[in-house]
Amino acid sequence: MFGIIKPYPSPLVTGRGIDLDFAMLAGCLALLGLGLVMITSASSEVAALQSGNPLYHMIRHLVYVAIGLVACVVTMMVPIATWQRMGFMMLVGAFGLLVLVLVPGIGREVNGSMRWIGFSFFNVQPSEIAKVFVVIYLAGYLVRRQTEVRESWMGFFKPFIVLLPMAGLLLMEPDFGATVVMMGAAAAMLFLGGVGLFRFSLMVVLAVAAVFILVQAQPYRMARLITFTDPWSDQFGSGYQLTQALIAFGRGEWLGVGLGNSVQKQFYLPEAHTDFVFSVLAEELGVVGSLLTVALFVFVSLRAMYIGLWAEKAKQFFAAYMAYGLAFLWIGQFLINIGVNVGLLPTKGLTLPFLSYGGSSLVICCVCMGLLLRIEWESRTHLGSEEHEFDESDFAEEPRHGR
């Protein structure tokens, strides 16, 4: 890797020092910091019982944060053109990982799902990696086949030759939430890539029909769908997790019960530090803290969309489509996780980006942050071309960051 990145300048190595989109960086780091605080609070009781150390999950999460930040730095040093060249290899790698996780003895089953590849000290969740690799591949496809995508049905349907088998592998784990997020991001990228409104509308109708069929096909999905509309009808059964989350929101009121004072984290709310960390946040920080957190999510998501827009204006279309795709991955996970926490959506095992406990999700979020920071820098300096020979003189008279 270092042989690949060494010859190229980056936002960290320019003629005038570090040159980053500090607004985007600050927003993401604020979410990382808030996530570390909430993981420490939400996991203390569970960690004390399981390991005897109330800070066990906090220490592991801190290690993941450090690994994620290193991955972010390395990602920023790789030119976007390199990611474009490696798109097909990444797609093959994504398929390979999703197949491996289903192999007995390699994949690790947790709560009835084969979503992790276990190593000695950590687990890797292939679906998190696959979502990003699909975005990178699809961005390259939209650039290579731009006219075909906009004008012909074949150009519109070709991506689904890749997407549908990958969705099938995700559903075999099963990971319905990751499937929805990946397909939603892909659909948004196709629309922004120029797919006509009629074809896009047809795709939406087919997607809704597919979701309906998938929900009907598995009894547990139908049970979740029925339960979330009235969780109190089975308060101590299938509706237990959601009712405890709603109790946490109710206890928080406007200003919360205070950091560290959550009652629901004390073995009432399952997965309090992973899928339902937002409920603990709402209980401890109240409506005000919850809305400020949502505002922070909205800011980084909109900033990612603007980074894509700036790249498109600079005629760096691969970078633009990739930025849009990464933004929609974040938006999809934000909406689904928070929707589940407040009872607007059926319960799904989907992490909250930057906040939830989980090494794979956190590291991939940091990689996405690095990609977005690199895209913004290349679009602003107009150095995102494969043909451009990088030289330190390119940065000598660079204009100040005005965004």
Side-chain angles (χ1 to χ4, degrees):
M1 173 60 75
F2 290 103
I4 296 175
I5 63 180
K6 187 176 179 181
Y8 301 102
S10 74
L12 304 174
V13 184
T14 70
R16 54 186 181 82
I18 297 175
D19 184 22
L20 293 170
D21 181 359
F22 287 103
M24 183 66 172
L25 179 64
C28 292
L29 291 181
L31 286 172
L32 279 174
L34 179 61
L36 180 62
V37 172
M38 293 314 305
I39 293 302
T40 304
S41 175
S43 68
S44 58
E45 301 294 335
V46 174
L49 178 67
Q50 293 178 346
S51 67
N53 179 7
L55 299 180
Y56 173 79
H57 290 302
M58 183 274 283
I59 294 170
R60 285 180 63 90
H61 191 76
L62 193 59
V63 171
Y64 295 144
V65 170
I67 294 172
L69 292 176
V70 171
C72 175
V73 169
V74 173
T75 302
M76 279 192 285
M77 297 175 72
V78 179
I80 297 302
T82 301
W83 297 103
Q84 186 173 2
R85 287 194 298 269
M86 291 169 30
F88 181 75
M89 290 185 290
M90 289 182 172
L91 182 68
V92 173
F95 271 107
L97 288 171
L98 292 178
V99 170
L100 279 177
V101 78
L102 298 173
V103 177
I106 298 178
R108 180 167 175 256
E109 184 175 347
V110 178
N111 295 331
S113 298
M114 295 276 286
R115 299 181 185 177
W116 293 268
I117 296 177
F119 294 92
S120 55
F121 297 107
F122 62 96
N123 298 315
V124 173
Q125 191 170 358
S127 61
E128 295 290 338
I129 301 171
K131 287 184 293 187
V132 176
F133 284 5
V134 164
V135 164
I136 293 173
Y137 173 79
L138 188 55
Y141 173 82
L142 290 173
V143 171
R144 293 192 305 272
R145 306 287 184 179
Q146 190 174 63
T147 303
E148 191 177 355
V149 168
R150 293 180 177 181
E151 297 179 0
S152 73
W153 284 93
M154 186 56 66
F156 169 66
F157 280 119
K158 277 182 181 178
F160 292 96
I161 298 174
V162 171
L163 292 171
L164 291 178
M166 187 163 289
L169 290 171
L170 287 171
L171 290 172
M172 289 173 67
E173 296 183 7
D175 194 343
F176 189 64
T179 306
V180 171
V181 170
M182 183 191 75
M183 297 300 285
M189 291 175 69
L190 286 168
F191 181 71
L192 292 173
V195 169
L197 186 59
F198 175 74
R199 281 176 287 163
F200 182 77
S201 300
L202 177 62
M203 176 174 59
V204 172
V205 171
L206 292 174
V208 171
V211 169
F212 178 77
I213 293 170
L214 289 170
V215 168
Q216 294 280 351
Q218 293 290 340
Y220 80 92
R221 290 183 188 138
M222 179 56 69
R224 284 182 176 180
L225 186 63
I226 295 172
T227 301
F228 102 94
T229 59
D230 185 15
W232 304 100
S233 63
D234 191 11
Q235 181 180 352
F236 299 105
S238 57
Y240 179 78
Q241 199 168 28
L242 180 53
T243 56
Q244 296 304 314
L246 294 176
I247 290 171
F249 278 92
R251 292 193 74 252
E253 298 184 349
W254 285 101
L255 298 177
V257 298
L259 189 62
N261 293 328
S262 168
V263 171
Q264 293 305 105
K265 71 181 181 182
Q266 298 178 13
F267 311 108
Y268 291 102
L269 177 61
E271 311 294 342
H273 60 296
T274 55
D275 301 342
F276 283 84
V277 68
F278 190 75
S279 296
V280 177
L281 183 150
E283 184 181 3
E284 296 188 349
L285 304 183
V287 171
V288 173
S290 301
L291 290 178
L292 288 175
T293 303
V294 170
L296 200 52
F297 284 140
V298 171
F299 171 76
V300 297
S301 299
L302 287 177
R303 192 72 179 181
M305 292 293 290
Y306 270 106
I307 287 173
L309 180 61
W310 295 330
E312 193 168 0
K313 287 182 176 179
K315 300 190 183 304
Q316 297 172 6
F317 296 108
F318 171 78
Y321 295 139
M322 184 162 66
Y324 292 143
L326 297 176
F328 279 108
L329 288 181
W330 283 357
I331 292 168
Q333 289 193 223
F334 292 155
L335 292 177
I336 292 175
N337 184 277
I338 294 176
V340 165
N341 274 252
V342 300
L344 293 176
L345 293 172
T347 303
K348 298 306 306 169
L350 204 61
T351 57
L352 187 59
F354 294 107
L355 257 71
S356 292
Y357 178 81
S360 296
S361 174
L362 189 65
V363 171
I364 290 300
C365 282
C366 291
V367 168
C368 292
M369 174 175 66
L371 287 170
L372 289 166
L373 291 172
R374 177 80 194 196
I375 290 169
E376 189 279 334
W377 177 75
E378 287 196 5
S379 67
R380 179 162 40 86
T381 56
H382 299 285
L383 296 176
S385 169
E386 289 185 74
E387 292 79 19
H388 189 95
E389 293 294 332
F390 290 108
D391 188 277
E392 281 299 322
S393 63
D394 290 323
F395 308 95
E397 301 299 327
E398 199 173 280
R400 292 299 297 173
H401 191 332
R403 288 177 182 161

Short mmCIF file of all heavy atoms in Angstrom, two decimals, residues 34-82:
data_model
loop_
_atom_site.label_atom_id
_atom_site.label_comp_id
_atom_site.label_asym_id
_atom_site.label_seq_id
_atom_site.Cartn_x
_atom_site.Cartn_y
_atom_site.Cartn_z
N LEU A 34 -18.68 11.85 20.52
CA LEU A 34 -19.97 11.60 21.17
C LEU A 34 -20.22 10.09 21.27
O LEU A 34 -20.72 9.60 22.29
CB LEU A 34 -21.08 12.27 20.38
CG LEU A 34 -22.51 12.09 20.91
CD1 LEU A 34 -22.63 12.68 22.32
CD2 LEU A 34 -23.52 12.75 19.97
N GLY A 35 -19.87 9.37 20.22
CA GLY A 35 -20.05 7.92 20.23
C GLY A 35 -19.23 7.26 21.33
O GLY A 35 -19.71 6.36 22.03
N LEU A 36 -17.98 7.71 21.51
CA LEU A 36 -17.13 7.14 22.55
C LEU A 36 -17.74 7.39 23.93
O LEU A 36 -17.76 6.49 24.79
CB LEU A 36 -15.73 7.75 22.46
CG LEU A 36 -14.71 7.25 23.51
CD1 LEU A 36 -14.48 5.75 23.35
CD2 LEU A 36 -13.40 8.01 23.35
N VAL A 37 -18.25 8.59 24.15
CA VAL A 37 -18.87 8.92 25.44
C VAL A 37 -20.10 8.05 25.69
O VAL A 37 -20.28 7.49 26.78
CB VAL A 37 -19.24 10.42 25.49
CG1 VAL A 37 -20.08 10.73 26.74
CG2 VAL A 37 -17.99 11.29 25.49
N MET A 38 -20.95 7.91 24.66
CA MET A 38 -22.19 7.16 24.84
C MET A 38 -21.93 5.66 24.96
O MET A 38 -22.63 4.97 25.70
CB MET A 38 -23.15 7.44 23.68
CG MET A 38 -23.69 8.86 23.64
SD MET A 38 -24.25 9.50 25.25
CE MET A 38 -25.43 8.25 25.74
N ILE A 39 -20.92 5.14 24.25
CA ILE A 39 -20.57 3.73 24.39
C ILE A 39 -20.09 3.46 25.82
O ILE A 39 -20.44 2.46 26.45
CB ILE A 39 -19.48 3.32 23.38
CG1 ILE A 39 -20.02 3.37 21.94
CG2 ILE A 39 -18.94 1.92 23.68
CD1 ILE A 39 -21.21 2.50 21.68
N THR A 40 -19.28 4.37 26.34
CA THR A 40 -18.79 4.22 27.71
C THR A 40 -19.94 4.16 28.70
O THR A 40 -19.97 3.32 29.62
CB THR A 40 -17.86 5.39 28.08
OG1 THR A 40 -16.79 5.46 27.12
CG2 THR A 40 -17.26 5.20 29.46
N SER A 41 -20.91 5.05 28.51
CA SER A 41 -22.06 5.09 29.41
C SER A 41 -22.98 3.89 29.22
O SER A 41 -23.36 3.23 30.18
CB SER A 41 -22.84 6.39 29.19
OG SER A 41 -24.02 6.41 29.97
N ALA A 42 -23.34 3.59 27.96
CA ALA A 42 -24.34 2.56 27.68
C ALA A 42 -23.86 1.15 27.96
O ALA A 42 -24.67 0.25 28.22
CB ALA A 42 -24.80 2.68 26.22
N SER A 43 -22.55 0.92 27.90
CA SER A 43 -22.03 -0.44 28.02
C SER A 43 -21.47 -0.76 29.39
O SER A 43 -21.04 -1.90 29.63
CB SER A 43 -20.93 -0.66 26.97
OG SER A 43 -19.79 0.13 27.27
N SER A 44 -21.41 0.19 30.31
CA SER A 44 -20.71 -0.01 31.58
C SER A 44 -21.29 -1.17 32.39
O SER A 44 -20.54 -2.01 32.93
CB SER A 44 -20.72 1.28 32.41
OG SER A 44 -22.05 1.70 32.65
N GLU A 45 -22.62 -1.26 32.49
CA GLU A 45 -23.23 -2.32 33.29
C GLU A 45 -23.02 -3.69 32.66
O GLU A 45 -22.67 -4.66 33.35
CB GLU A 45 -24.73 -2.04 33.45
CG GLU A 45 -25.07 -0.71 34.11
CD GLU A 45 -24.61 -0.65 35.55
OE1 GLU A 45 -24.48 -1.72 36.18
OE2 GLU A 45 -24.38 0.47 36.05
N VAL A 46 -23.23 -3.78 31.36
CA VAL A 46 -23.04 -5.05 30.66
C VAL A 46 -21.58 -5.48 30.73
O VAL A 46 -21.27 -6.66 30.97
CB VAL A 46 -23.49 -4.93 29.19
CG1 VAL A 46 -23.16 -6.19 28.40
CG2 VAL A 46 -24.99 -4.65 29.11
N ALA A 47 -20.66 -4.54 30.52
CA ALA A 47 -19.23 -4.86 30.54
C ALA A 47 -18.80 -5.34 31.93
O ALA A 47 -18.00 -6.27 32.06
CB ALA A 47 -18.42 -3.65 30.13
N ALA A 48 -19.32 -4.70 32.98
CA ALA A 48 -18.98 -5.09 34.34
C ALA A 48 -19.42 -6.52 34.63
O ALA A 48 -18.71 -7.28 35.30
CB ALA A 48 -19.61 -4.12 35.34
N LEU A 49 -20.60 -6.89 34.13
CA LEU A 49 -21.11 -8.24 34.36
C LEU A 49 -20.34 -9.27 33.54
O LEU A 49 -19.98 -10.34 34.05
CB LEU A 49 -22.59 -8.30 34.00
CG LEU A 49 -23.26 -9.67 34.14
CD1 LEU A 49 -23.31 -10.09 35.60
CD2 LEU A 49 -24.66 -9.66 33.53
N GLN A 50 -20.05 -8.95 32.26
CA GLN A 50 -19.45 -9.93 31.36
C GLN A 50 -17.95 -10.10 31.58
O GLN A 50 -17.42 -11.20 31.43
CB GLN A 50 -19.72 -9.53 29.92
CG GLN A 50 -21.20 -9.63 29.52
CD GLN A 50 -21.45 -9.19 28.09
OE1 GLN A 50 -20.58 -8.57 27.46
NE2 GLN A 50 -22.63 -9.51 27.57
N SER A 51 -17.26 -9.01 31.89
CA SER A 51 -15.79 -9.07 31.97
C SER A 51 -15.23 -8.65 33.32
O SER A 51 -14.03 -8.80 33.57
CB SER A 51 -15.17 -8.20 30.88
OG SER A 51 -15.45 -6.82 31.13
N GLY A 52 -16.07 -8.07 34.17
CA GLY A 52 -15.58 -7.56 35.44
C GLY A 52 -14.98 -6.18 35.35
O GLY A 52 -14.57 -5.60 36.36
N ASN A 53 -14.92 -5.62 34.15
CA ASN A 53 -14.34 -4.28 33.95
C ASN A 53 -15.39 -3.42 33.27
O ASN A 53 -15.72 -3.65 32.10
CB ASN A 53 -13.09 -4.38 33.08
CG ASN A 53 -12.47 -3.00 32.82
OD1 ASN A 53 -12.89 -1.99 33.39
ND2 ASN A 53 -11.48 -2.97 31.95
N PRO A 54 -15.95 -2.41 33.95
CA PRO A 54 -16.99 -1.59 33.34
C PRO A 54 -16.53 -0.79 32.13
O PRO A 54 -17.34 -0.29 31.36
CB PRO A 54 -17.43 -0.66 34.48
CG PRO A 54 -16.29 -0.66 35.44
CD PRO A 54 -15.67 -2.01 35.34
N LEU A 55 -15.21 -0.67 31.95
CA LEU A 55 -14.67 0.09 30.82
C LEU A 55 -14.21 -0.82 29.69
O LEU A 55 -13.55 -0.35 28.74
CB LEU A 55 -13.50 0.97 31.28
CG LEU A 55 -13.82 2.02 32.35
CD1 LEU A 55 -12.57 2.80 32.70
CD2 LEU A 55 -14.92 2.96 31.87
N TYR A 56 -14.56 -2.10 29.75
CA TYR A 56 -14.08 -3.05 28.74
C TYR A 56 -14.47 -2.64 27.33
O TYR A 56 -13.63 -2.56 26.43
CB TYR A 56 -14.64 -4.45 29.06
CG TYR A 56 -14.34 -5.48 28.00
CD1 TYR A 56 -13.09 -6.08 27.92
CD2 TYR A 56 -15.32 -5.86 27.08
CE1 TYR A 56 -12.81 -7.03 26.95
CE2 TYR A 56 -15.05 -6.82 26.10
CZ TYR A 56 -13.79 -7.39 26.05
OH TYR A 56 -13.52 -8.33 25.08
N HIS A 57 -15.76 -2.37 27.11
CA HIS A 57 -16.23 -2.00 25.77
C HIS A 57 -15.70 -0.63 25.36
O HIS A 57 -15.43 -0.40 24.17
CB HIS A 57 -17.75 -2.01 25.71
CG HIS A 57 -18.35 -3.38 25.79
ND1 HIS A 57 -18.05 -4.38 24.90
CD2 HIS A 57 -19.23 -3.92 26.68
CE1 HIS A 57 -18.72 -5.48 25.22
NE2 HIS A 57 -19.44 -5.22 26.29
N MET A 58 -15.53 0.26 26.31
CA MET A 58 -14.98 1.58 25.99
C MET A 58 -13.54 1.46 25.48
O MET A 58 -13.16 2.11 24.49
CB MET A 58 -15.02 2.48 27.23
CG MET A 58 -14.53 3.91 26.97
SD MET A 58 -12.72 4.13 27.12
CE MET A 58 -12.56 4.14 28.89
N ILE A 59 -12.75 0.60 26.14
CA ILE A 59 -11.35 0.42 25.72
C ILE A 59 -11.29 -0.19 24.32
O ILE A 59 -10.52 0.26 23.45
CB ILE A 59 -10.60 -0.46 26.73
CG1 ILE A 59 -10.49 0.27 28.08
CG2 ILE A 59 -9.22 -0.83 26.21
CD1 ILE A 59 -9.99 -0.60 29.21
N ARG A 60 -12.12 -1.20 24.07
CA ARG A 60 -12.15 -1.81 22.74
C ARG A 60 -12.62 -0.79 21.69
O ARG A 60 -12.06 -0.73 20.58
CB ARG A 60 -13.08 -3.03 22.73
CG ARG A 60 -12.50 -4.25 23.39
CD ARG A 60 -13.46 -5.41 23.35
NE ARG A 60 -13.75 -5.84 21.98
CZ ARG A 60 -13.05 -6.75 21.32
NH1 ARG A 60 -12.02 -7.34 21.90
NH2 ARG A 60 -13.39 -7.10 20.09
N HIS A 61 -13.62 -0.01 22.04
CA HIS A 61 -14.11 1.01 21.10
C HIS A 61 -13.03 2.05 20.82
O HIS A 61 -12.90 2.51 19.67
CB HIS A 61 -15.36 1.68 21.68
CG HIS A 61 -16.09 2.54 20.70
ND1 HIS A 61 -16.89 2.03 19.70
CD2 HIS A 61 -16.14 3.90 20.54
CE1 HIS A 61 -17.40 3.01 18.98
NE2 HIS A 61 -16.96 4.16 19.47
N LEU A 62 -12.27 2.42 21.83
CA LEU A 62 -11.18 3.38 21.65
C LEU A 62 -10.12 2.83 20.70
O LEU A 62 -9.56 3.56 19.88
CB LEU A 62 -10.57 3.72 23.01
CG LEU A 62 -9.64 4.93 23.07
CD1 LEU A 62 -10.34 6.20 22.60
CD2 LEU A 62 -9.12 5.12 24.49
N VAL A 63 -9.86 1.53 20.79
CA VAL A 63 -8.91 0.89 19.87
C VAL A 63 -9.46 0.96 18.44
O VAL A 63 -8.72 1.26 17.49
CB VAL A 63 -8.65 -0.57 20.29
CG1 VAL A 63 -7.86 -1.31 19.22
CG2 VAL A 63 -7.92 -0.62 21.62
N TYR A 64 -10.76 0.69 18.29
CA TYR A 64 -11.38 0.77 16.96
C TYR A 64 -11.31 2.20 16.42
O TYR A 64 -11.10 2.40 15.21
CB TYR A 64 -12.84 0.33 17.02
CG TYR A 64 -13.05 -1.12 17.37
CD1 TYR A 64 -14.12 -1.52 18.16
CD2 TYR A 64 -12.18 -2.11 16.90
CE1 TYR A 64 -14.33 -2.86 18.48
CE2 TYR A 64 -12.37 -3.44 17.21
CZ TYR A 64 -13.45 -3.81 18.01
OH TYR A 64 -13.65 -5.13 18.32
N VAL A 65 -11.51 3.18 17.28
CA VAL A 65 -11.40 4.59 16.85
C VAL A 65 -10.00 4.87 16.34
O VAL A 65 -9.82 5.50 15.28
CB VAL A 65 -11.77 5.54 18.00
CG1 VAL A 65 -11.41 6.98 17.63
CG2 VAL A 65 -13.26 5.45 18.33
N ALA A 66 -8.99 4.41 17.06
CA ALA A 66 -7.60 4.62 16.64
C ALA A 66 -7.33 3.95 15.30
O ALA A 66 -6.71 4.55 14.40
CB ALA A 66 -6.64 4.10 17.72
N ILE A 67 -7.79 2.70 15.15
CA ILE A 67 -7.60 1.99 13.87
C ILE A 67 -8.34 2.73 12.76
O ILE A 67 -7.82 2.88 11.64
CB ILE A 67 -8.11 0.54 13.98
CG1 ILE A 67 -7.24 -0.25 14.96
CG2 ILE A 67 -8.11 -0.14 12.61
CD1 ILE A 67 -7.79 -1.63 15.28
N GLY A 68 -9.55 3.20 13.05
CA GLY A 68 -10.32 3.92 12.04
C GLY A 68 -9.65 5.20 11.60
O GLY A 68 -9.64 5.53 10.41
N LEU A 69 -9.08 5.94 12.54
CA LEU A 69 -8.41 7.19 12.18
C LEU A 69 -7.15 6.93 11.35
O LEU A 69 -6.85 7.69 10.43
CB LEU A 69 -8.07 7.99 13.44
CG LEU A 69 -9.28 8.55 14.20
CD1 LEU A 69 -8.83 9.24 15.49
CD2 LEU A 69 -10.08 9.52 13.33
N VAL A 70 -6.42 5.86 11.68
CA VAL A 70 -5.26 5.49 10.86
C VAL A 70 -5.73 5.11 9.45
O VAL A 70 -5.12 5.53 8.44
CB VAL A 70 -4.49 4.32 11.51
CG1 VAL A 70 -3.43 3.79 10.54
CG2 VAL A 70 -3.84 4.76 12.80
N ALA A 71 -6.81 4.34 9.36
CA ALA A 71 -7.36 3.96 8.05
C ALA A 71 -7.80 5.19 7.28
O ALA A 71 -7.63 5.27 6.05
CB ALA A 71 -8.54 3.00 8.24
N CYS A 72 -8.37 6.18 7.97
CA CYS A 72 -8.78 7.42 7.33
C CYS A 72 -7.59 8.16 6.74
O CYS A 72 -7.65 8.64 5.60
CB CYS A 72 -9.51 8.31 8.34
SG CYS A 72 -9.97 9.94 7.73
N VAL A 73 -6.51 8.24 7.50
CA VAL A 73 -5.30 8.92 7.02
C VAL A 73 -4.73 8.22 5.79
O VAL A 73 -4.37 8.86 4.79
CB VAL A 73 -4.25 8.98 8.15
CG1 VAL A 73 -2.90 9.45 7.61
CG2 VAL A 73 -4.72 9.92 9.26
N VAL A 74 -4.64 6.88 5.85
CA VAL A 74 -4.11 6.13 4.71
C VAL A 74 -5.00 6.32 3.48
O VAL A 74 -4.52 6.51 2.36
CB VAL A 74 -4.00 4.63 5.06
CG1 VAL A 74 -3.63 3.81 3.83
CG2 VAL A 74 -2.95 4.42 6.16
N THR A 75 -6.32 6.31 3.70
CA THR A 75 -7.27 6.50 2.59
C THR A 75 -7.08 7.85 1.93
O THR A 75 -7.14 7.97 0.70
CB THR A 75 -8.71 6.36 3.11
OG1 THR A 75 -8.87 5.08 3.71
CG2 THR A 75 -9.71 6.52 1.98
N MET A 76 -6.86 8.88 2.71
CA MET A 76 -6.67 10.23 2.16
C MET A 76 -5.43 10.33 1.29
O MET A 76 -5.33 11.22 0.45
CB MET A 76 -6.61 11.26 3.29
CG MET A 76 -7.95 11.68 3.83
SD MET A 76 -7.82 13.12 4.91
CE MET A 76 -7.13 12.38 6.38
N MET A 77 -4.48 9.42 1.48
CA MET A 77 -3.23 9.49 0.72
C MET A 77 -3.31 8.75 -0.60
O MET A 77 -2.37 8.78 -1.39
CB MET A 77 -2.10 8.92 1.58
CG MET A 77 -1.85 9.73 2.86
SD MET A 77 -0.61 8.99 3.94
CE MET A 77 0.89 9.30 3.01
N VAL A 78 -4.42 8.07 -0.87
CA VAL A 78 -4.58 7.31 -2.11
C VAL A 78 -5.39 8.15 -3.11
O VAL A 78 -6.52 8.56 -2.79
CB VAL A 78 -5.30 5.98 -1.86
CG1 VAL A 78 -5.48 5.21 -3.16
CG2 VAL A 78 -4.52 5.15 -0.84
N PRO A 79 -4.87 8.41 -4.30
CA PRO A 79 -5.63 9.19 -5.29
C PRO A 79 -6.95 8.52 -5.66
O PRO A 79 -7.06 7.29 -5.69
CB PRO A 79 -4.68 9.23 -6.50
CG PRO A 79 -3.33 8.98 -5.94
CD PRO A 79 -3.53 8.07 -4.78
N ILE A 80 -7.96 9.32 -5.94
CA ILE A 80 -9.26 8.79 -6.32
C ILE A 80 -9.16 7.95 -7.59
O ILE A 80 -9.88 6.96 -7.76
CB ILE A 80 -10.27 9.94 -6.51
CG1 ILE A 80 -10.47 10.68 -5.17
CG2 ILE A 80 -11.61 9.41 -7.01
CD1 ILE A 80 -10.96 9.82 -4.04
N ALA A 81 -8.25 8.32 -8.49
CA ALA A 81 -8.06 7.54 -9.72
C ALA A 81 -7.65 6.11 -9.42
O ALA A 81 -7.99 5.18 -10.16
CB ALA A 81 -7.02 8.22 -10.61
N THR A 82 -6.91 5.90 -8.33
CA THR A 82 -6.52 4.55 -7.95
C THR A 82 -7.73 3.72 -7.54
O THR A 82 -7.86 2.55 -7.92
CB THR A 82 -5.51 4.61 -6.78
OG1 THR A 82 -4.36 5.36 -7.18
CG2 THR A 82 -5.07 3.20 -6.37
#
